[in-house]
């Protein structure tokens, strides 16, 4: 009855019933306590020898998960620092809490628009719950690496080639979210995911280069045509201004001669007015 009351009170605070039952029923039992007491007596009798097996030290970046007769004691990782264990009944597993980075091997991926590309990346993760990383999965590091490969293939399989080349940051964020949710019950925290390189087939590279070159040439022709059109409009307006004053055309001739003479040319072309040429043509 007391246990049920504790369960109900803990459930109101958000703790699951399964976790509470495992904590309450995680006792070693009579036989287990007998073995522990016997081990303690044996350790005390041989203290000068067993002390070297009882004292353990873990580094600042490590935690120790201790199993006593197959059960995790205290539901809490030990460390950092020095602590003691029973050499006959306790088994210790060290867990590194530092951030680990690894390269995702290049993956051949078929995009949404049926283009085959080779993509690789890098993942940064760390252990956030040492007990879960030991108890819930046999090899958290290896499992995270495999999951990163499959997640990369699944996420990129829903993207077009243009999205893959232009939205790397969004793809990396989506991968990080999916990985973090999948590895949460393993005690793994995925901190960052980055797409390193996207390799396209050589034929596709040549096709994309030819398409880009043709697009640039088309834009260049359009710009040149617009320039010619603007220039012709400017010349038309200039001719209208000059036609209003006949002396303006003669001044323009003189300005042109001044420009040519300043360049030190050996040949100078001097334009003659049409009225002078027409006088000789009549003769």
């Amino acid at each position: 009855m007391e246990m049920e009351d504790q369960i109900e009170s803990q459930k109101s605070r958000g703790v699951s019933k399964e976790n509470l039952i495992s904590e309450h029923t995680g006792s070693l039992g009579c036989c287990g306590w007998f073995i522990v007491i016997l081990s303690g007596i044996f350790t005390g009798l041989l203290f000068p020898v067993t002390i070297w097996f009882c004292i353990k030290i873990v580094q600042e970046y490590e935690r120790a998960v201790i199993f006593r007769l197959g059960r995790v004691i205290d539901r809490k990782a030990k460390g950092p620092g020095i602590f003691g264990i029973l050499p006959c009944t306790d088994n210790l597993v060290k867990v590194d809490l530092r951030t680990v980075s690894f390269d995702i091997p290049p993956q051949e991926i078929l995009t949404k628009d049926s283009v085959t590309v080779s993509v690789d990346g890098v993942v940064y993760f760390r252990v956030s719950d040492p007990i879960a990383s030991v108890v819930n999965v046999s090899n958290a590091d290896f499992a995270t690496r495999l999951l990163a490969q499959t997640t990369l293939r699944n996420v990129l399989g829903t993207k077009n080639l243009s999205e893959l080349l232009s939205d790397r940051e969004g793809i990396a964020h989506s991968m990080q979210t999916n990985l973090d949710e999948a590895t949460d019950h393993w005690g793994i925290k995925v901190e960052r995911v980055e797409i390193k390189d996207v390799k396209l087939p050589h034929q596709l590279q040549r096709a994309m280069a030819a398409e880009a070159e043709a697009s640039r040439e088309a834009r260049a022709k359009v710009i040149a045509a617009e320039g010619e059109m603007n220039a012709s409009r400017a010349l038309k307006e200039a001719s209208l201004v000059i036609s209003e004053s006949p002396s303006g055309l003669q001044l323009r001739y003189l300005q042109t001669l001044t420009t040519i003479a300043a360049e030190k040319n050996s040949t100078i072309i001097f334009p003659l007015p049409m009225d002078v040429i027409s006088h000789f043509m009549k003769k």
Side-chain angles (χ1 to χ4, degrees):
M1 187 66 181
E2 182 181 358
M3 175 180 172
E4 294 294 332
D5 294 337
Q6 292 179 3
I7 290 175
E8 292 299 330
S9 63
Q10 294 289 342
K11 284 175 65 178
S12 64
R13 290 185 291 176
V15 182
S16 64
K17 182 177 180 181
E18 291 77 10
N19 292 337
L20 288 169
I21 292 176
S22 64
E23 290 180 4
H24 283 284
T25 59
S27 177
L28 297 177
C30 296
C31 183
W33 280 113
F34 175 76
I35 295 175
V36 171
I37 294 172
L38 186 64
S39 176
I41 295 173
F42 176 77
T43 302
L45 293 176
L46 301 177
F47 182 74
V49 178
T50 57
I51 187 176
W52 305 107
F53 302 96
C54 296
I55 302 300
K56 298 295 181 181
I57 300 175
V58 294
Q59 304 296 330
E60 182 68 29
Y61 54 84
E62 293 178 331
R63 296 296 183 271
V65 180
I66 302 175
F67 293 88
R68 177 165 294 169
L69 297 179
R71 296 182 180 275
V72 179
I73 64 173
D74 298 335
R75 294 290 174 181
K76 183 180 178 181
K78 299 290 185 180
I82 184 171
F83 56 91
I85 64 173
L86 293 176
C88 299
T89 60
D90 294 353
N91 184 25
L92 183 143
V93 179
K94 290 184 179 181
V95 180
D96 195 330
L97 301 184
R98 291 177 294 183
T99 299
V100 179
S101 62
F102 70 91
D103 293 329
I104 302 176
Q107 304 291 312
E108 293 289 338
I109 298 169
L110 185 64
T111 61
K112 189 177 180 180
D113 50 354
S114 301
V115 177
T116 302
V117 295
S118 178
V119 183
D120 59 353
V122 60
V123 177
Y124 300 87
F125 71 94
R126 61 179 174 85
V127 176
S128 60
D129 187 351
I131 295 179
S133 67
V134 174
V135 175
N136 293 344
V137 61
S138 61
N139 191 333
D141 182 88
F142 183 68
T144 305
R145 293 172 186 265
L146 291 181
L147 185 61
Q149 297 180 25
T150 56
T151 303
L152 178 64
R153 300 176 68 90
N154 293 337
V155 171
L156 296 185
T158 61
K159 304 292 184 180
N160 295 325
L161 180 61
S162 58
E163 296 175 347
L164 178 59
L165 296 176
S166 60
D167 191 21
R168 294 192 181 186
E169 184 176 353
I171 294 173
H173 179 71
S174 178
M175 283 188 59
Q176 178 184 352
T177 302
N178 294 340
L179 279 174
D180 199 23
E181 292 178 355
T183 58
D184 183 59
H185 67 285
W186 294 347
I188 300 295
K189 172 65 177 177
V190 179
E191 296 181 338
R192 190 178 183 88
V193 178
E194 293 292 341
I195 302 299
K196 290 177 60 179
D197 191 17
V198 179
K199 297 181 180 178
L200 303 176
H202 294 291
Q203 295 179 353
L204 181 60
Q205 292 181 14
R206 290 194 294 268
M208 293 178 66
E211 180 183 0
E213 184 178 358
S215 177
R216 287 193 296 270
E217 290 180 355
R219 288 197 299 269
K221 290 180 180 179
V222 170
I223 293 172
E226 291 178 352
E228 292 291 338
M229 181 177 61
N230 294 332
S232 62
R233 289 176 180 175
L235 290 174
K236 178 182 177 182
E237 294 176 359
S239 63
L240 293 176
V241 173
I242 293 176
S243 63
E244 295 177 357
S245 176
S247 61
L249 182 61
Q250 191 67 24
L251 293 174
R252 182 60 181 168
Y253 289 158
L254 296 175
Q255 184 179 6
T256 303
L257 287 175
T258 303
T259 304
I260 296 174
E263 297 179 357
K264 298 180 180 181
N265 293 324
S266 59
T267 302
I268 297 177
I269 301 175
F270 182 76
L272 294 175
M274 293 298 297
D275 52 355
V276 176
I277 300 176
S278 61
H279 179 70
F280 288 102
M281 292 177 62
K282 290 179 181 180
K283 292 182 178 181

